[in-house]
């Protein structure tokens, strides 16, 4: 038995070759891709990491002895399928730069300070309705060398694992009103305006906690006409 997911929603995702995003010129395939049917064992194989999610892995502000510097925020939402149904028991990971725009990674040599109380990574598992929630710090913009005076808008990377090891999707969440949107080749590699807007979170006053943290809602749609653009899809 073999299965193949529908290809109609692929139009929402950025092309593998986006010349303004310079690194895609070297890594984009030079020949048309050949869809390979996935076997039942690939689609229903062992899950990855779900069983090791701890109670506080979704709060990036309490992972160290002290509290990290920056603006505390809540990021929450649902993981939906193409029909708007919540997807339960989905492993959601995030990683991000700190409030100064620097990652805890040896390759990141941006001359901005590291925060000893902020590692920038967290995990959560969706509940029965597909809901997830994180507490973190709003990341800063940072330079990335793609072109002259290139800066990435503030963003958070999301990784979503399904019910088999190979079903992993990766996207980025942006913040509303960022002035760097028009100048970012990665954000603009998604050519459809409506699809691009689905990568921007919405400010959620109702779930903001007074005197503690602002809140942003970011729903992730896995496929279909309202799919969230993904980095690893074509």
């Amino acid at each position: 038995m073999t299965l193949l997911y529908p290809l109609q929603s692929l139009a929402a995702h950025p092309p593998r070759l986006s010349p303004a995003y310079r690194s895609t010129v070297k890594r984009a395939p030079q020949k048309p891709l050949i869809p390979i049917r996935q076997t039942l064992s690939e689609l229903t194989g062992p899950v990855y990491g779900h069983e090791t999610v701890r109670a506080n892995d979704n709060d990036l502000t309490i992972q160290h002895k002290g509290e990290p510097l920056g603006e505390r925020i809540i990021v929450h939402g649902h993981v939906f399928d193409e029909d708007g149904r919540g997807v339960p028991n989905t492993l959601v990971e995030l990683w991000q730069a700190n409030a100064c725009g620097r990652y805890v990674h040896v390759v990141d040599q941006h001359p901005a300070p590291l925060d000893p109380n902020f590692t920038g990574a967290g995990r959560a598992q969706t509940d029965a309705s597909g809901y997830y929630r994180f507490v973190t710090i709003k990341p800063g913009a940072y330079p990335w060398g793609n072109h002259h005076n290139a800066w990435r808008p503030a963003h958070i990377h999301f990784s979503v694992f399904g019910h088999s090891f190979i079903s992993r999707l990766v996207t980025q969440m942006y913040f509303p009103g960022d002035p760097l949107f028009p100048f970012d080749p990665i954000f603009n590699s998604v050519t459809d305006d409506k699809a691009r807007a689905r990568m921007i979170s919405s400010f959620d006053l109702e779930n903001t906690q007074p005197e503690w943290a602002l809140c942003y809602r970011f729903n992730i749609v896995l496929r279909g006409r309202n799919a969230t653009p993904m980095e690893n899809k074509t």
Side-chain angles (χ1 to χ4, degrees):
M1 176 180 180
T2 58
L3 299 172
L4 187 67
Y5 284 130
L7 302 179
Q8 290 84 350
S9 63
L10 296 183
H13 308 300
R16 290 185 181 270
L17 178 60
S18 298
Y21 181 10
R22 285 168 41 186
S23 64
T24 67
V25 176
K26 294 184 177 180
R27 71 183 187 217
Q30 300 298 310
K31 297 181 179 180
L33 300 181
I34 301 174
I36 299 176
R37 290 182 176 269
Q38 297 167 333
T39 65
L40 184 61
S41 62
E42 289 176 316
L43 294 168
T44 61
V47 296
Y48 175 77
H50 293 61
E51 71 284 352
T52 59
V53 177
R54 297 169 298 184
N56 293 323
D57 280 353
N58 66 329
D59 190 339
L60 283 67
T61 68
I62 59 173
Q63 295 176 347
H64 300 278
K65 292 183 178 180
E67 190 168 0
L69 298 174
E71 179 188 344
R72 186 192 299 109
I73 60 173
I74 300 165
V75 177
H76 73 155
H78 287 79
V79 177
F80 291 122
D81 66 14
E82 63 269 40
D83 297 317
R85 297 171 298 195
V87 183
N89 305 318
T90 299
L91 176 62
V92 182
E93 299 177 329
L94 67 73
W95 65 99
Q96 63 171 93
N98 65 18
C100 295
R102 187 170 178 183
Y103 291 93
V104 181
H105 196 287
V106 65
V107 176
D108 190 344
Q109 296 300 309
H110 173 33
L114 289 171
D115 187 339
N117 293 312
F118 190 74
T119 305
R123 301 186 303 169
Q125 193 167 345
T126 61
D127 65 14
S129 69
Y131 177 77
Y132 75 88
R133 182 179 183 274
F134 288 96
V135 177
T136 184
I137 297 297
K138 189 174 182 179
Y142 59 83
W144 64 299
N146 182 75
H147 54 275
H148 174 68
N149 201 20
W151 290 80
R152 293 292 340 270
H155 62 279
I156 296 177
H157 299 267
F158 276 82
S159 169
V160 181
F161 279 96
H163 291 286
S164 67
F165 184 80
I166 65 167
S167 57
R168 183 191 186 210
L169 298 174
V170 178
T171 189
Q172 296 183 24
M173 184 204 91
Y174 298 89
F175 293 87
D178 196 308
L180 291 171
F181 284 157
F183 312 106
D184 183 49
I186 296 180
F187 177 74
N188 290 291
S189 67
V190 178
T191 56
D192 181 82
D193 291 344
K194 292 182 179 179
R196 197 162 55 241
R198 294 197 289 272
M199 296 189 296
I200 304 173
S201 61
S202 59
F203 176 60
D204 187 351
L205 180 62
E206 182 179 355
N207 287 289
T208 288
Q209 294 192 17
E211 302 180 21
W212 192 74
L214 297 179
C215 183
Y216 295 87
R217 178 175 292 277
F218 184 60
N219 294 328
I220 301 172
V221 182
L222 301 180
R223 55 184 180 270
R225 65 173 61 90
N226 295 317
T228 302
M230 301 290 175
E231 299 174 18
N232 53 342
K233 302 288 284 185
T234 58

